[in-house]
Amino acid sequence: MPLQQSPYILYSDGEGNIFEDTSLYVTGRSGWDAMSVPVDEWIVLPEGGNLYELPGRRGIGIDVQTGEMRLCEKGWAVAAFIPPAHTGLYMAAYETAPDAPTLPLFCYTAAGWFDDKFYVPAVRIEKDIRQECEGFDDEKIQQGVHTFLTAYPHNRLVKHLAENCCNTYTCPAARNYFMGRWECPVPSSPACNANCIGCISFQPQEETIISTQDRLTFKPTAAEIVEFTVPHLETAPFPLISFGQGCEGEPLLMWETIREAIIEIRKHTLKGSININTNGSKPAAVKALCEAGLNSMRVSTNSAREKIYTPYYRPNNYQFSDLIESLKIVRSFGGWTSINYFVFPGMTDSIEEYEALRKLIIDTDLCMIQWRNFNIDPDWYLGKIGATDTGECMGVKQMMELIREEFPTLKFGYFNPSSERIKGNFEADFAH
Ligand code: SF4
């Protein structure tokens, strides 16, 4: 049942215990500003979501009696990590103490409490259930790990996927691979030609936060890639393989090996989709991969504006126009293109960003936007890219609606689609 009023603010005692304060309605954050969130934009925190206490931060609320905005002095602020397939519309609003630690690389969506339930301002943007936590069967996964390690005893990549990705980072893509279904991750590059502020596989020594994964330390051979991906494409339901994972650098730096692998894979099977998640930095390499048989490409970006992109990605020897060119090239081969769009309320939904995104969609004939939550400390991010004034904003939900209205064939989601979905009824109820 939709809410009739704003939820109440949450706070923590600093020891992991969370309480509601019914003297304050919770607010949301957009850019640097705290604001009231429209009541119809709250949903119950989805299964698989988590709550975080934010040390050194006081939540900002609206006094239930006076309507005044004030701090919740009862404890630390609280935010939600919303599960994949959902996009957050407002971040948690709080005041940060000067000595507060930088927050780790997670998303910090606003969270409130009402009628014995936690609420978040978010939308379910993706029907695909591939990362629903209740869909993972640990016993089946460990059976798969044992089976594949036995089947490929000398394959360093399968060993990495088993020991690191699946059993250390609990990566949902690796767990799906070991359950023999859907999207199989294929990391390949120990190096990167960008220096993203919020890189999840490498953080410089001088930063206080750590990367959530360690970067791959070896260069797999084409033979190692082919050995386990062909059987996956042949046997898995709705099969796809994806180069470019969170535990590596930039896959396009390994394009010769990936090209060799794609050519060999397609000699054995025409099933499924071969995708690459990339920063799109090398158009010529993308062309070579399309000629070899690449089916789809997802380019990650924090913005459709070069002036916001460059201070975040800090690219080596490439520039924003290269990723635009890469997107066009894949479309020229009839391939599927997505952007992995890091959603930051107050930046993403600014009028300037909206206009830039419209231009990118038109110029590249883009197929899909994956509206991803930006896993980064908001103050740290805005400070690092020098964003003091984020400009006039319309709200993430309204922006989605305007884009959907203007580009009716453009798909919205959170995950790389299988070829069945690309060629079939994309909006079908995707319970696989
Ligand atoms: S492109 Fe990826 S691997 Fe490279 S710095 Fe950015 S987040 Fe890290």
Side-chain angles (χ1 to χ4, degrees):
M1 221 237 332
L3 276 179
Q4 302 308 315
Q5 66 153 77
S6 173
Y8 298 112
I9 202 167
L10 294 163
Y11 66 93
S12 98
D13 62 1
E15 288 162 15
N17 303 307
I18 291 176
F19 307 87
E20 77 277 12
D21 176 351
T22 56
S23 75
L24 284 169
Y25 294 127
V26 63
T27 62
R29 173 178 174 165
S30 172
W32 288 107
D33 305 324
M35 57 191 63
S36 173
V37 174
V39 169
D40 65 353
E41 297 197 10
W42 293 97
I43 62 170
V44 173
L45 176 65
E47 183 74 28
N50 288 313
L51 292 173
Y52 294 145
E53 60 182 20
L54 309 180
R57 295 157 174 88
R58 299 277 185 221
I60 300 171
I62 295 172
D63 189 294
V64 168
Q65 302 301 330
T66 67
E68 297 295 308
M69 215 175 254
R70 64 176 171 82
L71 298 182
C72 172
E73 302 288 359
K74 295 184 177 177
W76 295 138
V78 168
F81 179 83
I82 54 177
H86 300 82
T87 306
L89 304 173
Y90 293 85
M91 300 176 291
Y94 47 76
E95 188 172 278
T96 306
D99 60 349
T102 302
L103 298 170
L105 297 171
F106 298 116
C107 72
Y108 300 97
T109 301
W113 171 266
F114 185 74
D115 203 16
D116 290 344
K117 290 192 256 341
F118 293 112
Y119 282 84
V120 290
V123 288
R124 177 152 193 146
I125 199 76
E126 170 67 76
K127 289 186 178 154
D128 187 320
I129 57 154
R130 79 181 65 167
Q131 296 197 9
E132 308 284 278
C133 48
E134 61 265 29
F136 289 107
D137 177 332
D138 288 328
E139 208 177 309
K140 255 197 188 153
I141 291 169
Q142 292 315 318
Q143 259 165 22
V145 165
H146 175 72
T147 304
F148 291 156
L149 286 177
T150 309
Y152 315 117
H154 309 297
N155 194 309
R156 296 171 299 166
L157 212 38
V158 173
K159 187 171 185 302
H160 167 76
L161 290 173
E163 294 173 1
N164 298 332
C165 307
C166 180
N167 289 345
T168 306
Y169 313 141
T170 63
C171 166
R175 297 171 87 199
N176 277 326
Y177 166 59
F178 289 110
M179 286 183 74
R181 62 186 190 178
W182 310 334
E183 184 172 18
C184 167
V186 189
S188 61
S189 178
C192 190
N193 57 354
N195 305 285
C196 298
I197 290 166
C199 179
I200 55 175
S201 65
F202 176 77
Q203 281 293 324
Q205 284 290 340
E206 63 271 19
E207 292 299 346
T208 57
I209 59 162
I210 56 163
S211 58
T212 41
Q213 284 98 245
D214 296 330
R215 204 172 271 179
L216 197 67
T217 56
F218 62 91
K219 292 182 176 182
T221 63
E224 280 175 308
I225 292 170
V226 173
E227 185 182 34
F228 72 98
T229 52
V230 167
H232 181 79
L233 289 168
E234 276 288 307
T235 60
F238 302 91
L240 71 154
I241 66 168
S242 281
F243 297 98
Q245 298 296 324
C247 58
E248 65 173 305
E250 173 48 43
L252 289 177
L253 300 186
M254 289 286 289
W255 71 272
E256 290 99 337
T257 301
I258 294 175
R259 177 181 58 180
E260 192 186 334
I262 294 175
I263 292 169
E264 195 56 31
I265 290 169
R266 287 309 187 206
K267 283 184 193 157
H268 297 280
T269 179
L270 296 177
K271 285 188 177 170
S273 179
I274 300 179
N275 173 67
I276 189 167
N277 303 321
T278 170
N279 63 20
S281 54
K282 301 170 81 67
V286 169
K287 184 166 180 289
L289 296 181
C290 288
E291 285 160 351
L294 184 75
N295 301 108
S296 79
M297 178 180 75
R298 180 182 78 184
V299 170
S300 293
T301 187
N302 63 321
S303 176
R305 293 173 284 170
E306 179 158 17
K307 70 175 187 179
I308 304 293
Y309 176 91
T310 304
Y312 177 75
Y313 273 77
R314 303 183 290 195
N316 294 343
N317 305 321
Y318 79 91
Q319 52 203 345
F320 186 75
S321 57
D322 290 314
L323 61 96
I324 300 297
E325 187 54 27
S326 292
L327 287 165
K328 289 179 184 173
I329 287 170
V330 174
R331 291 302 287 143
S332 70
F333 280 83
W336 180 269
T337 55
S338 305
I339 55 170
N340 188 26
Y341 198 40
F342 304 154
V343 175
F344 192 100
M347 293 290 287
T348 305
D349 57 317
S350 72
I351 306 297
E352 213 182 290
E353 178 72 19
Y354 165 65
E355 293 303 342
L357 180 63
R358 289 180 62 247
K359 182 172 182 326
L360 184 154
I361 294 166
I362 294 165
D363 291 354
T364 66
D365 186 24
L366 189 71
C367 305
M368 181 181 190
I369 299 177
Q370 298 183 18
W371 300 85
R372 292 287 187 115
N373 301 306
F374 205 164
N375 287 340
I376 199 163
D377 177 325
D379 297 340
W380 188 60
Y381 171 63
L382 293 175
K384 285 270 187 180
I385 67 168
T388 49
D389 170 13
T390 57
E392 194 195 338
C393 292
M394 64 178 81
V396 174
K397 195 168 182 188
Q398 194 197 352
M399 180 178 174
M400 287 174 171
E401 285 159 6
L402 286 174
I403 295 286
R404 202 189 273 286
E405 203 181 302
E406 182 177 359
F407 304 101
T409 60
L410 177 72
K411 302 303 177 194
F412 285 8
Y414 210 87
F415 305 125
N416 297 309
S418 62
S419 50
E420 290 82 354
R421 200 165 182 205
I422 291 172
K423 294 178 189 137
N425 173 0
F426 195 96
E427 301 301 344
D429 210 359
F430 228 76
H432 282 308

